[in-house]
Structure formats: structure tokens, C-alpha cells
Amino acid sequence: MIEFKTKEEIKRIKESGKILHDALQAVKGSVKPGIKTIELNEIFERFVLDSKAIPACKGYNGFPTGLCISVNDEIVHGIPGERILEEGDVVSCDACVLYNGWFSDSTFTIIVGHPKRDIDMKLVEITEQAFYIGIEQARVGKRIGDVSYAIQKFVEDNGFSVVREYAGHGIGKKMHEDPPVPNFGRPGRGPLIREGLCIAVEPMVCEGKPNLFIEENRWTAKTVDGLNAAHFEHTICIGNNGPEILTA
Ligand code: MF3
Ligand code: CO
């Protein structure tokens, strides 16, 4: 069941989202060759805890850290550790914050130092643009399938592919709520978008084929073909004036 939010509730999610945004900015500013992914996680967790909020991925179904860091052929749910980031790595940082009972969820992808390949830059740009093209469809009276289709079409028109196994989702009192928001679909299908809908929209885009497997750690999804992936996400709400980003 979809829980539509009141203006008061959306304000709360926005407070959560502000902390998440600022924490991710601190992480982004620290991404450079030579840094360990666990150090980025520490920066994130410290920022969130200092803001009297909770890094909500930590402990979620046993996930060990507040930040998910997925590098190169890792698509999602990479686990921070002793890995040292190198020039040209494609790094996605994905996290959720719980503040005052409300969740927010956001992801950015960045290239460490100078890009190694032009296609990596294109991959990151197309993934971010796919998000904005998707949320352009997130309007009262449209359907979730309109968002999904717009993302898929844009990504595929640019020669990349979308992941099928993971999707965006409703968000609020819980990290994952109805409705699912896939990154592929058909226009005019799926749940109707009404005022007060809050969703995380999160295109996960592969340079090559979207086929994935889960690593030994039982979390990290990687591309089967070994080519790179990128991920971009914001929590948004839909009002009568259109979509609003709550994690910016
Ligand atoms: N942003 C991810 C999602 O929407 C975060 C999951 S938290 C994890 O699913 F613990 F599962 F990594
Ligand atoms: Co999410």
C-alpha cells in the first residue's frame, strides 16, 4: 500500500535529506587517489552521527557500514574496506539517513582524479541525466511506468543498459516502501502518481550488458561482463507543482 505524505511529513523527510546531502558532499570532497574506501565510510558515519542522525544502511539486513561504495564493475552494495581508490576509478557512494523517524536515500557516482576512458565520463553523465529525465515524468496524473520507461529509453538510446534486479522505491517511515520504481517499464502502466508521493528514483546503468552476479560477501552486485556501472539517486516528493528533490 502506498502511503502518501502530508506537507508536514515531507518537511521531515527533507530535514533527513539535508543531512544526507551534506554528508555525501563531505564524502565527495574527500574522494581522491590513495584514499581507502573505509576512510570515506568513516567520514560519512561521523558526519551523520554528529548531525544527531543515524546512518541507516549500517545493520540493515546485516549490511556492515553506513555507506555503500561500489567501484568500477561493482553496481551496488559494495562494502567499504581496505581498498585504495586509484586514478580513473568509477566510484558510487550510496547511503540512507534516518532522522527523527524519517528516511532519506541518495547516491552519487564520481570518477577519481582524471578519467581513464571517455566512456566512463559518458556513463556517469548519462546515469545522472537519466535521473532528471525520469523525474520529469513524476507528475500528478502520470504513472510509475512513465518514469521507468523514460529512464530506460534514455539510457538505451545512449548505448547503455539498465539493471533489472534492483529498483527505486517509496520511502518515508521505512527505507523501502511501496511502490517499487523500476528503471525499465512501459508508459501508462503501474501505480498512479498522486500528490504526496515520496520515492527514491535510482537509475543503475551498465556500460555493457546488465547481467549481474552477487559476490562472495553476499551483498555486492557486479557486472558479469566486467564492464563498469554507475548509480545516481535522490529522494523526491511529488506535489501539484511537480517533483521536488528532498536530498539536495
Ligand atoms: N540505497 C540503497 C537501497 O535503496 C541502500 C540499501 S542499504 C543496504 O536499497 F544496507 F542494503 F545497503
Ligand atoms: Co534506494
Side-chain angles (χ1 to χ4, degrees), residues 68-132:
C68 306
I69 306 182
S70 308
V71 184
N72 296 336
D73 59 335
E74 297 172 350
I75 304 168
V76 289
H77 301 159
I79 300 177
E82 296 304 310
R83 181 176 191 155
I84 294 168
L85 293 181
E86 294 172 11
E87 197 89 34
D89 279 344
V90 178
V91 181
S92 304
C93 296
D94 178 4
C96 293
V97 153
L98 175 61
Y99 181 68
N100 216 351
W102 294 91
F103 284 91
S104 56
D105 189 356
S106 183
T107 307
F108 69 84
T109 300
I110 191 175
I111 298 176
V112 182
H114 299 287
K116 262 209 292 261
R117 309 180 306 155
D118 286 348
I119 200 163
D120 289 331
M121 274 195 294
K122 184 180 175 198
L123 178 67
V124 172
E125 281 163 16
I126 293 299
T127 305
E128 179 164 355
Q129 284 174 28
F131 166 84
Y132 288 100

Side-chain angles (χ1 to χ4, degrees), residues 21 25 33-34 37 51 58 65 70 78 84 92 129 142 203 214 237:
H21 171 262
Q25 283 299 116
T37 53
S51 309
K58 193 172 186 153
T65 55
S70 308
I84 294 168
S92 304
Q129 284 174 28
K142 294 254 189 186
I214 307 293
C237 69

Side-chain angles (χ1 to χ4, degrees), residues 17-29:
K18 164 99 171 74
I19 295 169
L20 175 54
H21 171 262
D22 292 350
L24 287 178
Q25 283 299 116
V27 170
K28 204 185 237 179

